[in-house]
Amino acid sequence: MENTLGDFLRSRRARILPEEVGLPSHGRRRVRGLRREEVAQLAGVSVDYYVRLEQGRGGSASDAVLDAVARVLRLDGVEAAHLRSLVRPPKAPAAFAARVRGRGRQRVRPGTRLLLDLMTGVPAFVLGRRMDVLAWNALGDAVNGFSTRSDAGPDGLPNQARHAFLDPSAREYYGQWDAVAAETVAFLRRDAGLHPEDPELAALVGELSLRSAEFVRLWADHLVREKTHGVKQVNHPLVGGLDFGYETLGVNGSPEQLLVVYTAPADSPTAQKLALLASWTAPGAATGGAGAVTEGAGADGAAAEGAEAP
């Protein structure tokens, strides 16, 4: 994966106009935003020191310096954490290193799998590393079509990034495709900062870059975001428009897995349509799909728990 520190800092500098931080803006500027020397001045470091940092030679930068740069560039908490991960790349845990060598699969605990199945009234799924969908409940499948989509990667798991950028139907499916696309890329950027040596993530980014001009444009913006909560508008092929809120919850004990739950107020048009979809999937419809791998699976699912996921 490319060295992104310099590009990230340059993209953040470009967002800030000199007059916004009390600096004169007269004279011709070759690039938009703050110059390197202006960032250095505002952060209280030498120009040479900041240049070395932007060139990826600032591995010894102190927390105080990184905090100062983050303040000058107006980074939010997620962006500031991303800056630190780029300056000091995290070491891959032993479980992840083993997975890279043995290509085990991401795995969902049986208890998490049961929780999904018991959540009969809401669409829910578990999101893993690189936006792979690891498991889902019946209503989650009814809304998202995980078991029938054609965006699976080498592990056979549906992938939200491939779906958003490579599935021709995605622009119609997502009522706000532009927002979904930007959120998807920003989440992958964060994943890349946390796992800079992940060859499968590098392969996914390469695939999307080759096949989607929109992905290339958004990737170049260096946006970084967590997936926490928000809204999702879906144009379902059977029941029409669905307006969801969504909440994203960490799975304790599997720190790189997220439980994503779609919600709708009771008696809303979306809730009524969900009830209709639920009646079509009950009782005892197969859930989880062929891609779901649970703890205790056979040798083909022998990945260390927690080795994969965002």
Side-chain angles (χ1 to χ4, degrees), residues 47-84:
V47 175
D48 180 67
Y49 189 97
Y50 179 77
V51 168
R52 285 189 283 113
L53 177 65
E54 199 164 283
Q55 291 175 343
R57 297 186 290 127
S60 60
S62 68
D63 287 340
V65 167
L66 296 181
D67 287 343
V69 171
R71 172 182 53 78
V72 171
L73 299 181
R74 300 182 177 179
L75 305 186
D76 62 23
V78 176
E79 291 172 324
H82 183 66
L83 172 62
R84 278 180 166 74

Side-chain angles (χ1 to χ4, degrees), residues 126-238:
V126 176
L127 193 68
R129 285 286 323 285
R130 301 174 294 276
M131 302 198 77
D132 284 344
V133 183
L134 308 184
W136 51 87
N137 64 6
L139 202 50
D141 194 22
V143 169
N144 293 282
F146 294 129
S147 62
T148 58
R149 287 189 348 202
S150 59
D151 49 69
D155 283 339
L157 299 171
N159 181 274
Q160 293 294 77
R162 284 193 183 89
H163 177 65
F165 287 98
L166 304 184
D167 188 331
S169 68
R171 289 180 180 271
E172 175 63 26
Y173 175 77
Y174 293 115
Q176 297 177 320
W177 182 87
D178 288 344
V180 170
E183 177 187 270
T184 297
V185 172
F187 188 72
L188 284 180
R189 266 290 181 198
R190 178 177 178 272
D191 199 14
L194 293 173
H195 302 279
E197 303 301 326
D198 181 357
E200 294 177 48
L201 180 55
L204 174 63
V205 170
E207 176 188 0
L208 295 172
S209 298
L210 287 173
R211 300 178 61 185
S212 172
E214 292 91 345
F215 179 85
V216 172
R217 176 179 60 82
L218 290 169
W219 189 253
D221 286 341
H222 289 266
L223 296 177
V224 184
R225 293 290 182 271
E226 289 181 316
K227 189 174 182 66
T228 55
H229 64 278
V231 296
K232 190 84 70 177
Q233 295 179 351
V234 168
N235 296 315
H236 194 275
L238 297 180

Side-chain angles (χ1 to χ4, degrees), residues 18-39:
E19 55 267 28
E20 294 176 341
V21 292
L23 294 176
S25 59
H26 54 76
R28 292 179 58 86
R29 288 177 174 259
R30 292 180 297 175
V31 295
R32 176 181 172 84
L34 295 178
R35 299 185 176 111
R36 287 173 169 176
E37 57 268 27
E38 291 169 336
V39 175

